[in-house]
Amino acid sequence: MYLVKSPWLLKKLYLSLTWDIKPAKPCIYLTFDDGPIPIVTPVVLNILKQYHAKATFFCIGDNVSKHPDVFEQVKNAGHAIGNHTYNHLKGWKTPAKTYIDNTLKADELLQTNLFRPPYGRITRSQIKLLKSVKPEINIVMWDVLSGDFDSSLNPEKCLANVLKHTQSGSIVVFHDSLKAFDRLEYVLPRAMEVWSGAGFEFNCLNHDL
Ligand SMILES: [Zn+2]
């Protein structure tokens, strides 16, 4: 069970986290979690390039160490890099110290102040500990969850959900993963075509945070 649109109450309860952005110009912030993955991530890079878009990739440390060449492609294309832990840990099921150590291990490869907790699940004590060891860290959640990881969701419905809930300043989550690829490949170019036609820009999070 997941919600496509993050509820305002949840945003209010966790004010120290970033949920959306107030951009100066109409802008959508595309984010891609769980890569870098051969074939999938390069396809995403190609689509972004067609729209002169910059995005943010929340990478899993273990994937970066397995696929350093794909990681280089993401960086060389000028996109922002975010940390998504080394082993995609579940915050609610992991002791705070283990969680932070795993995040810092990923940071050795990723070198970034942007962090997104896997599954969007992080405890208050993990937030506190993470901010104490890395005060400049920006914990980024989202405004719109595409559901591209959901194999029971058909690509047309996934596209409709994303278009319905996204507005200027939205942080939208996609996944450059094998699991999401069928939907991602269908939804991303079509959504970008609509947004770009409506005059939206696409920037990485670093640009406006
Ligand atoms: Zn993830």
Side-chain angles (χ1 to χ4, degrees):
M1 167 59 194
Y2 59 91
L3 295 170
V4 176
K5 184 85 172 176
S6 297
W8 64 269
L9 182 61
L10 190 63
K11 296 181 182 181
K12 283 253 180 306
L13 281 171
Y14 287 90
L15 281 174
S16 68
L17 311 181
T18 299
W19 295 91
D20 42 39
I21 291 178
K22 306 259 176 296
K25 285 192 272 179
C27 184
I28 291 166
Y29 300 89
L30 301 174
T31 65
F32 298 89
D33 291 6
D34 297 359
I37 297 289
I39 301 172
V40 179
T41 307
V43 164
V44 171
L45 292 177
N46 245 326
I47 298 169
L48 294 175
K49 196 173 165 192
Q50 285 169 35
Y51 291 94
H52 310 286
K54 294 289 181 251
T56 306
F57 288 76
F58 286 92
C59 300
I60 296 174
D62 191 40
N63 283 342
V64 171
S65 110
K66 284 179 183 148
H67 313 295
D69 50 325
V70 187
F71 182 58
E72 283 306 309
Q73 286 179 43
V74 177
K75 286 202 293 186
N76 291 341
H79 301 293
I81 300 297
N83 187 337
H84 201 48
T85 78
Y86 198 91
N87 295 106
H88 207 257
L89 297 185
K90 288 192 167 82
W92 295 354
K93 292 189 173 164
T94 310
K97 170 89 169 63
T98 312
Y99 191 83
I100 276 49
D101 286 350
N102 196 271
T103 301
L104 294 177
K105 183 179 173 190
D107 198 40
E108 286 170 21
L109 296 168
L110 298 166
Q111 312 258 314
T112 173
N113 293 334
L114 301 171
F115 175 73
R116 173 175 284 154
Y119 314 97
R121 290 179 177 178
I122 184 165
T123 65
R124 288 196 190 273
S125 64
Q126 287 161 352
I127 294 172
K128 211 173 142 193
L129 189 55
L130 195 52
K131 290 197 168 189
S132 73
V133 296
K134 193 158 172 148
E136 65 279 24
I137 204 154
N138 200 325
I139 304 176
V140 182
M141 305 298 273
W142 57 78
D143 182 42
V144 178
L145 185 61
S146 67
D148 58 353
F149 53 84
D150 177 1
S151 55
S152 72
L153 185 66
N154 69 48
E156 292 83 3
K157 177 71 178 149
C158 185
L159 175 64
N161 285 347
V162 165
L163 291 177
K164 180 179 172 199
H165 293 289
T166 302
Q167 59 204 39
S168 183
S170 284
I171 299 173
V172 186
V173 184
F174 290 101
H175 294 80
D176 47 336
S177 69
L178 290 170
K179 199 165 91 170
F181 196 43
D182 285 350
R183 280 155 299 282
L184 177 69
E185 206 183 12
Y186 177 88
V187 173
L188 186 62
R190 287 167 178 81
M192 290 188 77
E193 184 65 27
V194 171
W195 291 327
S196 149
F200 289 103
E201 286 183 8
F202 305 100
N203 281 326
C204 57
L205 292 165
N206 283 345
H207 190 272
D208 294 309
L209 271 178

